[in-house]
Amino acid sequence: MRVLVTGGAGYIGAHACKALARAGHEPVVFDNLSTGWAEAVKWGPLVRGDLMDRASIDAALAQYQPEAVMHFAALSLVGESMKDPGRYWRVNVGGALNLLEACAAAGVRNFVFSSTCATYGDQDGVLLTEETPQRPINAYGGSKLAIEGMLRDFGAAHGINHVIFRYFNVAGADPEGEVGEQHVPETHLIPLMLDAVAGKRPALTLFGTDYATRDGTCVRDYVHVTDLAAAHVLGLGWLIEGKGDAVFCLGTGRGFSVREVIEASRAVTNREVPVVIGDRRPGDAAALVSSSSRAVNELGWEPTRSNMRDMIGDAWAWAQKPGYSG
Ligand code: UDP
């Protein structure tokens, strides 16, 4: 099946393209390269287009006639979304609206959407499920929740079958080293931590030690990017088989505090992580941990590398490589 992959030059999108190609699908990447990398597009053509430019979406759909769309492209940083919420609402919601209108017009009937655990907000450490009420506390989560609603409306009105994946914290890199995480600027915990370990940064700043968690630092549920990519192939299969609209949380059911991630890194790299204690980062929930039961039981998802050793190990191996250059 030919799949238009928005954001396919980005971290998660590129891993999804590899998984799609491996499964016999044909990914066509649609990306404005604002945060992605042309070098990460290895499994199909790259269309340079922008979701804020409806004509560029229409042209890509007309040229490639995809049977499905996977929508990864978005601004995705919690901290940045608190400082500039307008940009998040405009780009994420406006871009998704253009894309959905273009899909409706072109008759695309299958849509896989990247949503997030940030749609839940702060929930007192409960294990989050697909049914947990969503109450985002940052503009990133708010914009993604709005798109979930939009997708339901477009599904009903235009017959766009959709699978919504709510990602927890994505980590690691392709175990074969073909693609990996590279953000400019980098804001994510594991790559920043490994940069500090490698001496590329003076230290990791730990954002807050006074949360109501077991050791005072934020707890997150980390998922290996390769496992996440595999879920997308299953999600596409779900739609192809006509199983209808669905929401799946992609987490592991196990949370790690920031201090526990740091501890795990020491075990993998045999090196200390230089750490300085900083203030809380606005918009951060204390704990976000998901049940993966529905994805495992209904979708048949079998995560294999979503353990700290593999996630940090694969990210560490990727960090030794030269990375993308431009
Ligand atoms: N974090 C941190 N220092 C950093 C970056 C992140 O202490 O330099 C913490 C952050 O507060 C959060 C966790 O690490 O609790 C994961 O943050 P990240 O930005 O990787 O992902 P997010 O949870 O925002 O999607």
Side-chain angles (χ1 to χ4, degrees), residues 78 169 187-189 192 204-207 218 220 222 258 281 284:
V78 168
N169 283 59
T187 66
H188 294 99
L189 175 64
L192 285 177
L204 171 74
T205 304
L206 204 168
F207 294 148
C218 287
R220 294 287 181 273
Y222 294 85
V258 178
R281 184 174 65 179
D284 270 346

Side-chain angles (χ1 to χ4, degrees), residues 66-68 103-104 106-111 158-162 239:
E67 293 151 279
C103 286
V108 176
R109 293 282 169 267
N110 301 298
F111 199 98
H158 302 292
I160 299 178
N161 305 308
H162 51 275
L239 291 173

Side-chain angles (χ1 to χ4, degrees), residues 126-170:
V126 296
L127 198 63
L128 302 166
T129 72
E130 292 79 3
E131 265 69 54
T132 307
Q134 292 161 288
R135 296 189 291 261
I137 57 168
N138 53 60
Y140 167 56
S143 69
K144 288 281 185 170
L145 181 57
I147 301 167
E148 288 194 15
M150 202 193 287
L151 196 44
R152 290 198 187 91
D153 291 343
F154 273 76
H158 302 292
I160 299 178
N161 305 308
H162 51 275
V163 165
I164 295 171
F165 286 121
R166 293 189 192 132
Y167 306 161
F168 283 67
N169 283 59
V170 188

Side-chain angles (χ1 to χ4, degrees), residues 27 35 46 51-52 69 79 95 98 101 108 120 161 195 204 232 234 247 255 262 273 300 312 319:
T35 57
L46 165 65
L51 294 175
M52 300 307 283
V69 166
N98 281 336
E101 287 185 326
V108 176
Y120 289 108
N161 305 308
D195 275 359
L204 171 74
H232 286 71
L234 295 171
V247 179
I262 292 168
V273 182
I312 294 176

